[in-house]
Each structure stands twice: as structure tokens, then as C-alpha cells.
Amino acid sequence: MTDHVTTPETAANEKIDTSVPHSARIWNHWLGGKDNYPVDQEAGDAYSAAFPDIVTIARSSRAFLRRSIHYLVAEAGVRQFLDVGSGLPTVDNTHEVAQRIAPAARIVYVDNDPLVLAHARDLLGSTPQGATAYVDASLYEPDRILAAAAETLDLTRPTALILSGILGHVADYDQARSIVRRLMDGLPPGSYLSVNDGSRGTDPAYEQAQDGYNETGAVAYFLRPVEQIAAFFDGLELVEPRVVSVPMWRPEESSSGEPVPIGQHGGLGRKP
């Protein structure tokens, strides 16, 4: 490992700011996790009081990630994953889903929040046949991300880039598209892009709640029109059903009936 890769021990020594709510920790709170602080719980509870369905959105986003990884491993044959903005460990992390099907799968997680890094040990429990690594880097450093990922992944082979609920934190849309493009440019043909993010045009109550949250001074997350989310896949071959509300993307059979659209859209695209 080089200095790009942060161990849980070094991360634990970094300062964790508990005075400002953080999206990864709030997300963890909504999912029933314990890796959060009172400031995150207060912000998360205030949000869910105004918009209770945020918990459904959080869980649906996670379920989309699980289904898309299953497709990538079981149907597309992908064995390498670059998960940028991975957030706090929860259930069915990328390496757990991938390595259940293909034990030799290799995964690199990327984040730059000290609390997330302090829990990196929970993301490094690879099978003996495969590998996992954790890179301390910002989404705004695509070249550094690729260089560090290459220490664990063979970037001459198809790799899936995972951007789950992270691009909404980039206020400037052109900059967000540039980040995606630069990361995909570093991956070979046959690689995939998986994106899911908060969207506009489906749930006005969600839009009102998120806009209100952004005005509190917490780390903002910007919902985008579906066509802007779809444009992240420009130049790629979209996997059916293309870009849709995440519960509608290859849903599993369930006794709960037909999936209902929510303000979270995603898709999967292959680099030709």
C-alpha cells in the first residue's frame, strides 16, 4: 500500500467534526445504523419528520446497488469494482454482494470522511481469493483515485465504477459530468458505470424537503432532473430498462406487489 490507501488505524487519528451533520452519517441513521452522532440524528429526524419517505429512498437506493452489482457479476461477468463515495458500511456492501457470487472479485472503496475511514475494517473483509482496499481520496480527485485503485485493480480489465448517491453533492452539473467522464476514461472497454441519485419530477414533497435541508447550512445534496442523470451515461450502452426510478430497475419478485416510482433514478451503462 502507498500513502493513498488509509488504514483504519491512521483514519482513527483524523479529526471527526461532530458539530455539523454529515450526509453519510445521516444516511446511516436512516438505515438504522449506529455510526452517527446526535447532530446527525437530529438533522435526520427533522428531515424524516417533514418527509417520512426518505427512509424508503435510502433503502431503495441500497437495494438498487445490490441488484446492479448482482447483474454485473452474475450476468456481465465483471470481477472488479471501484466504489467511489462508498459511505459507512451497512448490510450488503459491494464486496459482500460481489464475492458471494465470485469469491475472486476485487473491490476498491473510495471516501474521504474520517468516520467512514475509521470503519474501513468493515469493508476490508475480503475472501481469500479476492481483495478489497480503501482509498482516502475526494471525488474531485479522479486521477488520484485511478492511480490508487490501480494498486489493487488491473485497470486494463473491465471494471465497474459505482457512484451511488454521491454526484448530487457536486453543485455544478458540468463539473459532475466531467468527474464521471474522467473516471470512465481511465477504465477500458467493457467497463460499466452504475449511478443512482436523487431526482426531480417524481415526488414534489421530496424536492421540497431536500431544498429545505440544503438551506440549513448542512452539506448540500442537489436533486437533478432525470434527463441530467441519464446524461451521465452519454457514450455508454445503457442496460435495460435504461435510466428509471430505482425500484423499477430489474425488480425482484415480491409479494408486496408492483414497485412504485420514487424520486431516485439510476441505471447501468457499458463502455463500448
Side-chain angles (χ1 to χ4, degrees):
M1 289 187 179
T2 72
D3 61 353
H4 290 302
V5 181
T6 301
T7 66
E9 290 72 22
T10 58
N13 294 325
E14 297 185 39
K15 180 174 176 57
I16 297 172
D17 185 354
T18 62
S19 66
V20 178
H22 188 282
S23 60
R25 302 193 305 252
I26 294 172
W27 202 258
N28 178 264
H29 175 56
W30 286 331
L31 291 174
K34 304 300 182 184
D35 299 319
N36 48 74
Y37 293 96
V39 67
D40 308 305
Q41 297 161 18
E42 184 176 326
D45 289 346
Y47 194 120
S48 60
F51 181 65
D53 284 345
I54 189 61
V55 175
T56 298
I57 287 175
R59 293 176 179 174
S60 296
S61 173
R62 195 73 187 180
F64 166 84
L65 177 64
R66 174 175 50 79
R67 296 195 306 274
S68 64
I69 293 170
H70 187 279
Y71 170 88
L72 287 164
V73 179
E75 299 190 42
V78 174
R79 296 294 181 267
Q80 300 192 126
F81 294 83
L82 178 56
D83 188 339
V84 180
S86 52
L88 286 158
T90 57
V91 177
D92 278 345
N93 299 296
T94 297
H95 76 283
E96 293 170 330
V97 178
Q99 291 182 343
R100 275 201 296 267
I101 306 167
R106 304 175 74 83
I107 296 89
V108 170
Y109 293 102
V110 181
D111 213 304
N112 71 332
D113 178 75
L115 183 62
V116 177
L117 293 172
H119 289 268
R121 63 176 63 86
D122 295 328
L123 294 175
L124 297 176
S126 175
T127 59
Q129 304 96 316
T132 61
Y134 204 103
V135 175
D136 178 12
S138 165
L139 176 66
Y140 298 94
E141 303 174 292
D143 295 333
R144 181 166 177 251
I145 288 171
L146 291 166
E151 298 169 19
T152 301
L153 308 178
D154 178 358
L155 297 186
T156 67
R157 296 175 52 221
T159 300
L161 171 63
I162 309 294
L163 296 168
S164 180
I166 186 66
L167 293 172
H169 287 299
V170 183
D172 185 275
Y173 177 62
D174 289 337
Q175 183 177 24
R177 290 193 65 182
S178 175
I179 290 169
V180 174
R181 183 170 58 251
R182 288 168 65 188
L183 286 168
M184 288 303 297
D185 283 349
L187 304 180
S191 293
Y192 284 81
L193 170 66
S194 174
V195 169
N196 79 92
D197 259 304
S199 57
R200 292 188 178 275
T202 301
D203 190 339
Y206 179 31
E207 296 167 24
Q208 183 178 1
Q210 186 60 45
D211 291 345
Y213 175 83
N214 289 350
E215 293 171 1
T216 66
V219 177
Y221 181 82
F222 300 95
L223 307 181
R224 291 197 162 104
V226 177
E227 58 268 23
Q228 289 191 355
I229 295 174
F232 288 129
F233 296 94
D234 283 355
L236 305 180
E237 300 167 347
L238 279 166
V239 175
E240 292 296 335
R242 304 174 70 82
V243 176
V244 294
S245 181
V246 291
M248 321 298 288
W249 198 90
R250 296 178 174 253
E252 297 165 339
E253 291 187 9
S254 171
S255 58
S256 59
E258 291 296 316
V260 177
I262 60 174
Q264 185 87 4
H265 279 67
L268 192 63
R270 181 182 182 274
K271 183 175 180 177

